[in-house]
Amino acid sequence: MRASRVAYPLTWRVMDMLERFAAIFWPSSFKKGLPYLMLLPAIVLVGLLVLGLIQIGDTSLRTLDTNTFLMSETYMLANYQRALTEKFFATVAGRSLIGSLIVTVITLIFAFPYAYLMVRTSSSALRKFLLVALFLPFFIGQVVRAYGWLIILGNQGMVNEALGLVGVSPIRLLYNYPAVLFGLVQYMLPFAVLMLAPALTAIPAELEAAAASLGASWLRTFRHVVLPLSRPGLVGAGLVVVTLSLTDFAIPAILGGGTQDFIANAIYDQFFRTSDQGLGATLSLLLVAVGSILVGVVFMVFGAGTLAMGGDGK
C-alpha cells in the first residue's frame, strides 16, 4: 500500500529539497573532490599558522632600536646571538627543558596506575568516580587551579596551618622550582590518563589471566605483558605532557612568582614588557625548533605511539 503524503514527515521533505538543491550546485561528478573540500578548513588553518611563522621569522631578524623603539629595516642575526649566548636565556631554556622532562616522568608514574585501575576495575561505581575525578579539573581551569594552590600552599595556607598544629614552623612551599613542577604534574595528569586509557583498553584482559595461569607473578605480568603492550599509550601521553609542559605559561608565572620562569614567560616579557618583538620572535622560533627536535627524537626512538595514524604506532 502506498504511504499517504500526510504520513511523510515534514523534516524528510525538507531534507529532500535540500538534497535536490545541493545536486544543482554539486553534481555527482564532483564526488571525488568531496574529501578535498572537507580538508579545506584544516588547510586554511595550517596556512594561517605557516603565515604566522613566516611573519615571526621576519621579525626575529630585526633588532630593536632602543632610541626610537622601532624595529630595524635590515636583517641581522643579533637576536639569535643574544638568545644563544646570554646566560639568562640559557638558564630559562634549561629550566624549561629539564622541568618538562621531570614532569613527564612523574606524571606517567602517577597516570599509569590511575588509568589501569579505571580500565580494569569491575566496579562501575568506581569507574564513574574515577572518570568524574578525571574530568572535573577541566571544568575548573588552569589559572583557577593554580590560584587554588596559592591558598593551600601559602605561608598562611591550609598545609602550613596544619603543620602549625603539630608545632612545625611555616615552610616555604611556593615560589620555587618544586612548586612549579608540582603544579604542572597536577595539571598534566588528566591529559596523560586520557592518552593511556585507550592503549590499556586495547590490551585483552585474557593475556594477563593467561600469564597468571602459567605461574607469572603480578609483577612479571606487568613487566613482560602490560608494560610492553601499553608502550604506544606511554609514548603518546609522554609527547603530549612534555610539549604542554615545555610551553606552559600560567603555572610557572603563578606558582613560580616570577623567579622560576619558563621559556613561554620569557617570550611574554620580551613582547609585552620590554617591547623587544625581535627577541621575542627569536625565542618563539627556538622554542618551536627545540620542541620539534624533541618530538622527532622520540618518534625515531620509540615511534609515534597512539599519535600515529596506523594502528601499530611505529
Side-chain angles (χ1 to χ4, degrees):
M1 183 176 178
R2 210 173 155 185
S4 65
R5 196 161 177 82
V6 178
Y8 196 71
L10 178 62
T11 55
W12 291 12
R13 299 179 191 175
V14 174
M15 295 300 295
D16 288 343
M17 292 176 59
L18 291 175
E19 186 177 356
R20 287 193 292 267
F21 181 78
I24 297 174
F25 295 93
W26 193 264
S28 59
S29 59
F30 292 171
K31 286 184 177 180
K32 292 183 179 180
L34 185 59
Y36 299 99
L37 182 65
M38 297 177 66
L39 279 175
L40 186 60
I43 294 174
V44 171
L45 291 176
V46 173
L48 292 175
L49 175 62
V50 172
L51 289 177
L53 289 175
I54 292 175
Q55 181 63 40
I56 291 175
D58 178 84
T59 306
S60 69
L61 296 173
R62 303 178 186 274
T63 57
L64 178 68
D65 188 342
T66 56
N67 294 322
T68 61
F69 278 91
L70 297 175
M71 305 304 295
S72 65
E73 296 293 334
T74 58
Y75 291 147
M76 56 188 69
L77 297 175
N79 291 322
Y80 289 92
Q81 183 179 3
R82 284 188 59 190
L84 296 175
T85 58
E86 290 190 12
K87 184 178 179 181
F88 171 75
F89 297 116
T91 301
V92 171
R95 182 189 301 137
S96 304
L97 185 58
I98 295 174
S100 62
L101 295 176
I102 295 174
V103 168
T104 301
V105 172
I106 297 176
T107 301
L108 292 180
I109 291 175
F110 283 105
F112 196 96
Y114 191 106
Y116 184 85
L117 178 60
M118 186 174 65
V119 169
R120 287 289 188 258
T121 180
S122 58
S123 172
S124 60
L126 178 59
R127 183 179 295 108
K128 291 177 182 178
F129 172 77
L130 293 175
L131 283 172
V132 171
L134 179 66
F135 283 100
L136 186 62
F138 289 109
F139 295 99
I140 299 175
Q142 181 186 15
V143 175
V144 176
R145 275 185 279 170
Y147 277 110
W149 287 119
L150 291 180
I151 298 173
I152 296 174
L153 301 178
N155 290 336
Q156 304 298 324
M158 297 170 58
V159 174
N160 276 314
E161 286 185 359
L163 293 176
L165 295 177
V166 294
V168 179
S169 57
I171 301 174
R172 183 181 176 87
L173 300 174
L174 288 174
Y175 308 131
N176 50 43
Y177 198 46
V180 174
L181 299 182
F182 173 80
L184 286 173
V185 169
Q186 191 268 340
Y187 173 62
M188 299 299 168
L189 186 62
F191 294 98
V193 174
L194 288 176
M195 295 296 295
L196 282 168
L200 292 173
T201 304
I203 303 175
E206 291 79 5
L207 292 179
E208 298 177 52
S213 66
L214 294 174
S217 63
W218 182 88
L219 185 61
R220 293 190 65 183
T221 302
F222 173 80
R223 180 181 176 184
H224 296 287
V225 177
V226 178
L227 196 59
L229 293 177
S230 62
R231 190 187 73 169
L234 289 170
V235 173
L239 286 174
V240 170
V241 173
V242 74
T243 51
L244 291 178
S245 301
L246 185 63
T247 59
D248 195 78
F249 171 82
I251 290 180
I254 297 174
L255 298 184
T259 62
Q260 303 295 329
D261 286 347
F262 275 25
I263 189 67
N265 306 100
I267 293 172
Y268 176 88
D269 291 342
Q270 298 305 317
F271 274 107
F272 299 104
R273 292 187 178 180
T274 64
S275 298
D276 194 345
Q277 298 181 11
L279 186 56
T282 300
L283 295 175
S284 301
L285 288 181
L286 290 177
L287 176 59
V288 172
V290 171
S292 301
I293 292 172
L294 183 61
V295 172
V297 170
V298 172
F299 278 1
M300 288 188 296
V301 176
F302 301 104
T306 52
L307 300 180
M309 292 296 101
D312 55 2
K314 294 181 180 179

